[in-house]
Amino acid sequence: MHGSTDERTRTGMSPEALKRAFVDSMFFNQARYWRVATTHDLFMAAAYTVRDRMLERWIRTAEAYRDVRARTVCYLSAEFLLGPQLGNNLINLGIVDSARQGARDLGIDLEAIFAEEPEPGLGNGGLGRLAACYLDSLATLSVPAIGYGIRYEHGIFDQSIDDGWQVEDCDLWLSHGNPWEIPRYHLRYPVQFGGHTEPYTDEHGRFRVRWVPRIDLYGIAYDTPILGFGVDNTNLLRLWHATAGRSFDLQAFHQGDYYGAVHAKVAAENITKVLYPNDEPEVGKELRLKQQYFFVSCSLQDMIRLHLQDAETLEDFHEKFSAQLNDTHPAIAVAELMRLCVDEHGMDWEPAWDITRQTFAYTNHTLLPEALETWPVDLFGRLLPRHLEIIYEINRRFLDELRIRFPFDPERIERMSLIAEGPVRRVRMANLATVGSFAVNGVAAMHSELVKSTVLRDFHDLWPERFHNVTNGVTPRRFIQLSNPDLCGLVTEVAGTGWARDADNLRRLEPHARDAAFQERWRAMKRAAKERLGARIQQTTGVLVDPLSMFDIQVKRFHEYKRQHLNLLHIVTLYERIKQNPGLDMTPRTFVFGGKAAPGYFMAKLIIKAIHSVAEVINRDPQVNGLLRVVFVPNFNVKNAEVIYPAADLSEQISTAGKEASGTGNMKFSMNGALTIGTLDGANVEIRDAVGPENFFLFGLTVEEVERTLAEGYRPWEIYREHTELRTAIDLLHSGLFSHGDTDLFRPLTDSLIHHDPYLLLADYQAYVETQAQAEARFRNPMDWTRMSILNTARMGHFSSDRAIREYCEKIWRVQPVPVSLTTTR
């Protein structure tokens, strides 16, 4: 404590207090003096300085929640893609300007410190980023909440490109430590696997089952504070790290068995070693199931511990907690809570089942059959024998109820069973999650209707009152305020400071949409964002791009249904048009791609290769250089996304109708003033309704048309034969033009399109090309385009994650905010 000021060094918010805290942190935390401090030392000192201010709020929040025994949301997710936290935490604390002033006074480059922060890749894409947005909004809305997940030592792989091919590199986000987390070594819960079960009679003469496991390990909690924006509420993200019960076998070591001495430690820590191991081989499937059970068991044991701090029994556990299952990854929680209640806490089946069904709610994120998790019964029973017995008992009772309700419908009963019969019997995790939850929701209006009419139709027929829609949302704090400060300044000038907490205030931009002076400033903002992205592109790829060209951007996970190759066919078509007509009057375009393909997904990786191959030819062809550029930004993550979203003129949301649950990239682009070219898929439908059909470039088959086309016998080869430009684009891909004469390289891709085309690229190609021409024509009128860009931002307030969380609180969780104030809780 420095006696020269009334403001405390570790919690003060002024530039002077921040400077003192930073200097102290450099000395006492990093043990460095200025001349030898690295940029990483500067980052760590800055992070600890900010964390101190968060911890004060975190402790006060915990006290306040416990004082009122607050009902708490527990968000169970296998992924939390937080992104870099320093800038976001400065914004939420409201001390960005103070931090910048302090940095200037100390001669420190704050932007270099931001760039130094490693990104925790604890998610694969949209699912994990959604979870992170929801944690931000829960804290901002003062809703008591805990996020539960896995502390992966290695997150999603770092992507590099070698000769156009994706290369997966190990993510080392923890290699220099994580200043935001606090280990809780005393929060240590046992987790078991394997073994067998034994029936017995307890002291009250009741039938019981004892699980005798073969493997014992422990989960240790690592806590990260999650601060709300403009409030003192600071919630908790608790991630679990696996460790052995006995990490070192001294006897084995003395006998010369050095590997055996640490075998238990290695085997245990493998569970939290890497995000989503390759689950093609059996050992990969086993590890993934272990991961899911591990974090769910630790989380439920922790919730029970918290509950029993102020209660004697678990009878009202469901009144204390509402647990959201973020997709099927945590669905084993249904069986685990039953095991804990019945086996560990001596409850009878019926009250335990009532508690379980009133605790969980399930969010469905996919309509793709292959993404609805199922587990082979043999594998499940080998790893979790007691849970398989519990699932069998849940299923027996459930099917008996169904037989009474639907006595002459055995097909329905088979579809709704928790066990899929067949050559390989499988546990259906979506069915388990639905049966064990009091609410089920989809993540966009259209998706929720499709959930009710397709994958969970039978359950909706049985329990229509349980089904809801909560359209996804994204936090405007990170995706406007942090990533696009120029836009933030314009919006604040017009809409006031309240828009970041109430995004509906973005509507105040609308009256300025036709104002020539405001439009000029808007274009300058967009130009600056494109220049920033252009600099990043040149730095990472060596390609120079023109910020005056239309930036046409598609960044997302690579999958055939997302149809990055439809975008690529359009690029090849434009290239061929220019080659055939060198004087073609065309708007210059920069096509930007980004995203990762699953390591075992050959076709997705081939599409990445094809993009690079087409880019190589186009970017070195002087005949088209002034009109076309194609670039791939490697290693798409939150940090790169914050540079990409603000720079887009046109956002590609072109998945096959009915395949995308919602999407959130579409929201981030539109919030930043990009116009969308897209299908009626996922949240595109609601975005188009919100911004206005006239400000959205719609193309493609509808869900009903897709279903009818497939049902009538889709023949893509006929479309290929009949459409000259389409045929030319496909033929050029496998002609060797883009592959140094290799006519076989892209044949798997072109053959799939011509003979199968499961995602109907060829059916949508002509409409897509024509709609692209409409977008180009509108872009040629800067005033018209800028007006539409402003209206996109102005009308996107509905897609804030704050709105989504309010809907969850009202429709599903039945939870009330508990505002926290440092001044009143001291």
Side-chain angles (χ1 to χ4, degrees), residues 255-292:
Q255 292 173 352
D257 184 4
Y258 304 127
Y259 174 76
V262 296
H263 173 72
K265 174 180 171 65
V266 172
E269 292 182 354
N270 276 344
I271 290 178
T272 51
K273 182 67 69 175
V274 65
L275 170 76
Y276 290 172
N278 183 359
D279 60 2
E280 291 298 319
E282 187 71 12
V283 291
K285 291 182 174 68
E286 179 176 319
L287 181 54
R288 188 158 179 176
L289 180 55
K290 282 182 175 179
Q291 287 182 333
Q292 293 180 4

Side-chain angles (χ1 to χ4, degrees), residues 294-335:
F294 165 78
F295 98 84
V296 158
S297 178
C298 291
S299 303
L300 288 172
Q301 291 182 71
D302 193 51
M303 291 162 62
I304 288 173
R305 175 190 65 84
L306 291 170
H307 176 74
L308 293 179
Q309 287 177 346
D310 298 300
E312 295 183 359
T313 72
L314 296 179
E315 290 178 0
D316 61 347
F317 180 80
H318 56 284
E319 296 295 334
K320 168 63 178 171
F321 294 112
S322 183
Q324 192 70 30
L325 306 176
N326 192 28
D327 215 347
T328 54
H329 309 130
I332 188 61
V334 173

Side-chain angles (χ1 to χ4, degrees), residues 11-284:
T11 58
M13 309 287 269
S14 69
E16 288 301 318
L18 291 174
K19 284 191 296 182
R20 291 196 307 271
F22 181 84
V23 172
D24 281 1
S25 184
M26 178 66 72
F27 189 84
F28 292 110
N29 291 113
Q30 292 304 105
R32 290 283 197 172
Y33 59 93
W34 285 106
R35 282 188 297 166
V36 299
T38 66
T39 305
H40 185 75
D41 290 323
L42 298 176
F43 159 68
M44 294 291 282
Y48 284 125
T49 299
V50 172
R51 194 186 76 168
D52 284 345
R53 283 135 187 87
M54 297 170 66
L55 293 185
E56 180 184 30
R57 289 156 177 78
W58 188 18
I59 292 167
R60 301 299 182 191
T61 300
E63 289 178 334
Y65 290 172
R66 185 167 182 182
D67 286 347
V68 300
R69 189 161 164 70
R71 179 168 168 81
T72 301
V73 175
C74 294
Y75 200 84
L76 275 63
S77 179
E79 302 182 28
F80 287 96
L81 197 58
L82 294 178
Q85 296 173 72
L86 178 58
N88 199 70
N89 287 332
L90 288 172
I91 283 174
N92 284 2
L93 281 168
I95 58 172
V96 173
D97 291 340
S98 291
R100 291 194 182 281
Q101 180 61 53
R104 281 194 297 270
D105 291 348
L106 292 172
I108 293 170
D109 182 354
L110 193 58
E111 295 302 321
I113 293 177
F114 288 149
E116 180 68 17
E117 182 171 7
E119 178 165 335
L122 306 184
N124 192 39
L127 184 81
R129 185 53 235 172
L130 179 76
C133 284
Y134 281 177
L135 291 186
D136 177 271
S137 287
L138 282 161
T140 297
L141 297 175
S142 302
V143 176
I146 303 172
Y148 281 115
I150 299 175
R151 183 182 180 267
Y152 302 102
E153 183 178 340
H154 304 292
I156 185 69
F157 61 86
D158 289 336
Q159 179 195 56
S160 58
I161 302 297
D162 184 7
D163 191 29
W165 292 99
Q166 171 179 289
V167 177
E168 298 94 29
D169 302 313
C170 188
D171 167 50
L172 300 173
W173 75 283
L174 284 173
S175 59
H176 296 294
N178 176 13
W180 305 108
E181 69 181 5
I182 298 174
R184 302 292 197 188
Y185 297 115
H186 65 288
L187 294 182
R188 185 172 181 264
Y189 297 107
V191 181
Q192 293 88 27
F193 294 100
H196 63 278
T197 62
E198 298 174 347
Y200 71 99
T201 302
D202 69 12
E203 64 272 19
H204 302 293
R206 298 176 300 182
F207 174 81
R208 294 291 181 188
V209 176
R210 178 186 298 111
W211 181 15
V212 183
R214 186 177 64 86
I215 299 171
D216 293 277
L217 52 93
Y218 288 88
I220 295 174
Y222 282 74
D223 290 353
T224 300
I226 304 296
L227 177 68
F229 172 76
V231 296
D232 289 329
N233 289 68
T234 304
N235 286 338
L236 166 65
L237 172 61
R238 178 160 284 168
L239 303 178
W240 300 104
H241 169 71
T243 186
R246 186 172 65 167
S247 62
F248 188 77
D249 187 334
L250 188 60
Q251 184 175 358
F253 183 83
H254 286 322
Q255 292 173 352
D257 184 4
Y258 304 127
Y259 174 76
V262 296
H263 173 72
K265 174 180 171 65
V266 172
E269 292 182 354
N270 276 344
I271 290 178
T272 51
K273 182 67 69 175
V274 65
L275 170 76
Y276 290 172
N278 183 359
D279 60 2
E280 291 298 319
E282 187 71 12
V283 291

Side-chain angles (χ1 to χ4, degrees), residues 333-475:
V334 173
E336 173 66 356
L337 184 55
M338 285 297 294
R339 184 190 73 82
L340 291 168
C341 288
V342 173
D343 294 358
E344 302 296 329
H345 292 270
M347 296 182 69
D348 291 332
W349 182 276
E350 288 78 7
W353 184 237
D354 286 343
I355 289 170
T356 297
R357 291 185 77 172
Q358 293 180 77
T359 296
F360 294 112
Y362 161 51
T363 299
N364 174 280
H365 281 281
T366 184
L367 299 168
L368 298 178
E370 65 269 22
L372 291 172
E373 282 190 312
T374 63
W375 294 105
V377 164
D378 288 347
L379 170 63
F380 203 100
R382 187 172 74 250
L383 286 183
L384 301 168
R386 179 56 179 145
H387 297 77
L388 185 59
E389 290 178 352
I390 290 171
I391 289 170
Y392 281 157
E393 181 62 16
I394 294 171
N395 201 40
R396 182 188 70 79
R397 293 172 182 240
F398 175 56
L399 295 185
D400 283 349
E401 292 177 12
L402 290 181
R403 292 186 186 99
I404 294 172
R405 179 77 179 268
F406 306 105
F408 304 109
D409 197 346
E411 290 83 6
R412 179 192 296 263
I413 292 169
E414 191 284 324
R415 291 193 303 268
M416 298 180 75
S417 173
L418 306 188
I419 306 297
E421 304 297 336
V424 178
R425 301 175 71 233
R426 306 182 73 88
V427 182
R428 293 166 164 158
M429 302 309 284
N431 289 20
L432 175 64
T434 303
V435 170
S437 295
F438 66 86
V440 178
N441 73 279
V443 292
M446 188 179 77
H447 169 248
S448 295
E449 291 305 309
L450 289 172
V451 166
K452 293 189 287 188
S453 63
T454 58
V455 292
L456 296 179
R457 176 179 178 177
D458 295 318
F459 293 95
H460 178 255
D461 290 345
L462 180 64
W463 299 310
E465 72 284 355
R466 292 191 188 181
F467 284 76
H468 307 268
N469 173 61
V470 181
T471 297
N472 285 345
V474 301
T475 170

